[in-house]
Amino acid sequence: MQKNYVSPDYMKDSFTCPHCGTLSLMNYIRVNYSRGKYQNTTDKNSGTGTNWIFIATCQNCKKQIVWIDKIYVYPDIIAEEANSDMPDSVKQLYNEAGLIYNKSPRAACALLRLAIDRLCNELGETDRDINKNIGALVKKGLPETVQKALDVARVVGNKAVHPGQIAFDVDDKSTAIMLMRLLNIIVERMITEPKEIDSLYQGLPESVKNAVENRDKK
């Protein structure tokens, strides 16, 4: 996620525009559509009941963002961009979930749990039990707190949903956003950080690398 990112919210005067990616001031129109009658207003105190459409216009790109009865509907946005090092097979599921989590958080959560399982496979863990795969990643350096968070999200452990089953009672938008964040954390810790450290090491003078390698052989 970009620095200083502010998620779209019809109660905020400014947020990061999902069209142009700029932290921008917003102009609002509120439309009440109850009983076939339409009432337009820019009054910030209006729109507290139902049957309201909130339309924000970005002052930077002049495009609109829309909520209906306080539910975000347009445009489709991903809560958090996928880490650039995320494997393509995982990123495909991640992006699909990111585009539907506002409209169908349950479906998004199912896709994200599958993405986590696939990420474990990409990282070399092939056990059919995702709990064992995550445990193996913890031994390789993944923070144990990530495992605990995945347990809370019912991905691993006793709270996990059985394959092919969706927890209709608890899968909501906040769960989908948390799963996206956790996927990025796993990629950051297990792929990005080791790659960056290796790049720094390879940039050392040969004499220094030889000294390190000789030291490690002792």
Side-chain angles (χ1 to χ4, degrees):
M1 182 180 292
Q2 69 190 74
K3 291 183 178 179
N4 302 320
Y5 177 87
V6 178
S7 60
D9 188 327
Y10 66 91
M11 296 297 292
K12 295 176 181 176
D13 292 327
S14 63
F15 52 77
T16 302
C17 175
H19 293 286
C20 66
T22 301
L23 181 57
S24 175
L25 289 171
M26 299 288 163
N27 291 326
Y28 282 92
I29 293 178
R30 291 162 172 78
V31 181
N32 186 285
Y33 59 92
S34 59
R35 298 181 181 179
K37 296 180 180 180
Y38 291 83
Q39 172 193 356
N40 293 1
T41 178
T42 57
D43 180 7
K44 289 188 65 176
N45 294 320
S46 64
T48 56
T50 58
N51 301 323
W52 282 93
I53 299 174
F54 298 82
I55 304 173
T57 301
C58 172
Q59 291 193 19
N60 182 63
C61 69
K62 309 305 180 185
K63 293 183 178 180
Q64 282 71 47
I65 302 94
V66 181
W67 294 259
I68 297 178
D69 289 342
K70 305 178 183 179
I71 298 174
Y72 182 96
V73 295
Y74 175 83
D76 288 333
I77 55 173
I78 296 176
E80 181 173 345
E81 293 294 329
N83 185 305
S84 59
D85 291 321
M86 187 177 290
D88 289 341
S89 64
V90 180
K91 189 180 295 185
Q92 182 179 3
L93 293 167
Y94 181 101
N95 288 336
E96 184 177 351
L99 290 175
I100 66 171
Y101 82 99
N102 271 298
K103 298 182 178 69
S104 181
R106 294 166 184 165
C109 287
L111 286 169
L112 290 166
R113 290 189 176 99
L114 178 59
I116 291 171
D117 190 33
R118 185 167 294 177
L119 178 57
C120 288
N121 296 155
E122 291 282 357
L123 293 172
E125 307 304 330
T126 56
D127 197 288
R128 294 184 65 182
D129 185 346
I130 190 172
N131 192 31
K132 292 180 180 178
N133 288 335
I134 293 295
L137 293 179
V138 169
K139 293 180 180 179
K140 294 178 180 179
L142 185 68
E144 190 174 347
T145 50
V146 173
Q147 186 175 25
K148 292 178 181 178
L150 289 170
D151 190 19
V152 172
R154 305 211 300 170
V155 176
V156 302
N158 294 329
K159 298 180 181 179
V161 181
H162 295 295
Q165 295 182 2
I166 300 177
F168 289 101
D169 56 332
V170 297
D171 281 350
D172 54 16
K173 188 163 71 172
S174 63
T175 302
I177 292 173
M178 180 174 68
L179 290 172
M180 282 186 267
R181 177 87 281 266
L182 289 169
L183 266 162
N184 274 330
I185 288 173
I186 296 171
V187 173
E188 177 71 22
R189 180 58 66 92
M190 306 306 296
I191 299 177
T192 302
E193 288 184 4
K195 185 174 75 171
E196 290 177 348
I197 292 171
D198 184 66
S199 178
L200 289 171
Y201 178 77
Q202 294 302 325
L204 293 173
E206 286 299 322
S207 59
V208 175
K209 288 192 287 187
N210 289 334
V212 171
E213 291 169 4
N214 289 332
R215 179 202 63 194
D216 293 340
K217 291 178 182 178
K218 295 180 180 180

